[in-house]
Amino acid sequence: MLTKNSATRTVVLPQEDTEKNRFELSSGFVYLISPVALLVIWQIVGTLDLIDLRFFPLPSQIAETFVQELLSGEWFVHVGATLGRVMFGFIVGSALGIITGAVMGLIPWVRFCVYPLVAAIYPIPKIAIFPLILLILGLGEAAKLVTIAASCFFFLTISTMSGVMNIPRVYMDVGKNFGSKGLDFILTIAIPAALPAIFSGLKLALGAGFLVVVSLEFIDAQAGIGWQIWRSWELFSIRTMFVSLLTVSFLGLALVVVLEWLEKKLVPWRP
């Protein structure tokens, strides 16, 4: 068995590895048990008539409505419409943001010229510019996709720029010594070294994408989770509204878990 008996190297003891595995298992358990505990408490409180069931139906009643939507196929239609919009805007906006942020982080004069524009436009709610985008692109999917992409773009631009500017100088020097430059330098040195900051931006952008898409579906859509929430309000179908709200919550959590899994694979050095 290896031990820490050398001043020149550090090895991981078996007990340290065991403690790490226990921590990961406990974290995964908490991931599952906390939402379940909330639903159980909600069911008990509702059964005891401590809340108004007109506005807060029992989880069992919501589950019944959810099964009905699954069997009718309606749930898949709305989830497919919303996920398609979110993922397209998220991928396009994030990709453009990563490239823009990397260039801004590497080239001072580009950062000097572009960052004031980014800082000025970033605080504007992207829903506020949706009417302008509608005027330019007209009614349809294009306006919604552009708005979602714009909301993701700024998160990745700022986080990538920050990550690139904090790259240790030795990485930059090694890359230049091996002849890496231009786009090759960005793809092989800058972006990989800035991955921790980029993944933080991706998680924020994903949440922003869901916020924007649901809001847009309130305004201009014939299908989608946001449209279903608004329609449920019009018909006072509270159970359907909760099915939609919980669906958004589940989708957001599932996609964040996927991003965290990717982060562990692509950034294994990050604790």
Side-chain angles (χ1 to χ4, degrees):
M1 181 181 69
L2 294 175
T3 59
K4 292 181 179 178
N5 56 3
S6 174
T8 60
R9 61 178 180 174
T10 303
V11 297
V12 179
L13 293 174
Q15 57 266 32
E16 292 177 345
D17 205 26
T18 302
E19 290 175 0
K20 180 181 177 182
N21 292 334
R22 288 176 180 173
F23 175 76
E24 291 178 351
L25 288 174
S26 63
S27 299
F29 179 74
V30 172
Y31 254 75
L32 295 175
I33 200 63
S34 54
V36 173
L38 175 62
L39 293 175
V40 170
I41 294 172
W42 184 354
Q43 180 77 23
I44 294 172
V45 170
T47 304
L48 297 175
D49 290 329
L50 298 178
I51 56 176
D52 191 337
L53 296 182
R54 294 176 301 171
F55 306 115
F56 299 97
L58 297 174
S60 57
Q61 296 173 329
I62 297 172
E64 181 181 349
T65 302
F66 173 63
V67 171
Q68 292 173 357
E69 290 193 11
L70 280 180
L71 295 177
S72 67
E74 184 179 2
W75 186 83
F76 295 101
V77 172
H78 296 303
V79 169
T82 296
L83 264 185
R85 292 168 183 143
V86 168
M87 296 312 299
F88 181 90
F90 174 73
I91 292 172
V92 173
S94 298
L96 293 175
I98 290 172
I99 297 297
T100 304
V103 173
M104 290 171 61
L106 290 171
I107 307 175
W109 69 264
V110 174
R111 181 168 64 252
F112 181 79
C113 295
V114 177
Y115 184 71
L117 298 176
V118 173
I121 299 174
Y122 169 68
I124 300 175
K126 303 310 171 282
I127 294 297
I129 64 174
F130 182 60
L132 176 61
I133 297 176
L134 281 177
L135 289 175
I136 298 172
L137 299 178
L139 294 172
E141 290 297 309
K144 290 190 282 292
L145 296 177
V146 169
T147 307
I148 297 166
S151 68
C152 298
F153 170 81
F154 290 96
F155 284 101
L156 270 300
T157 298
I158 295 172
S159 63
T160 303
M161 182 188 70
S162 177
V164 170
M165 291 176 65
N166 288 309
I167 295 175
R169 186 68 191 178
V170 63
Y171 294 173
M172 316 284 276
D173 294 337
V174 169
K176 292 178 180 178
N177 289 336
F178 278 90
S180 181
K181 58 183 177 180
L183 183 60
D184 180 62
F185 184 85
I186 292 175
L187 296 178
T188 59
I189 303 295
I191 291 179
L195 276 178
I198 290 174
F199 270 101
S200 297
L202 287 172
K203 294 171 188 176
L204 293 172
L206 184 63
F210 272 105
L211 287 173
V212 171
V213 74
V214 171
S215 302
L216 294 178
E217 288 172 348
F218 283 174
I219 302 169
D220 173 37
Q222 298 300 320
I225 299 174
W227 178 88
Q228 190 178 38
I229 293 172
W230 188 261
R231 184 66 174 167
S232 301
W233 173 79
E234 292 179 328
L235 301 176
F236 201 71
S237 179
I238 305 302
R239 295 184 187 180
T240 302
M241 184 184 296
F242 270 99
V243 168
S244 302
L245 292 172
L246 292 174
T247 297
V248 173
S249 177
F250 171 77
L251 290 176
L253 176 61
L255 291 174
V256 166
V257 169
V258 171
L259 284 177
E260 290 183 346
W261 178 81
L262 284 174
E263 185 177 11
K264 288 182 180 179
K265 297 296 181 181
L266 298 176
V267 196
W269 63 88
R270 186 177 186 180

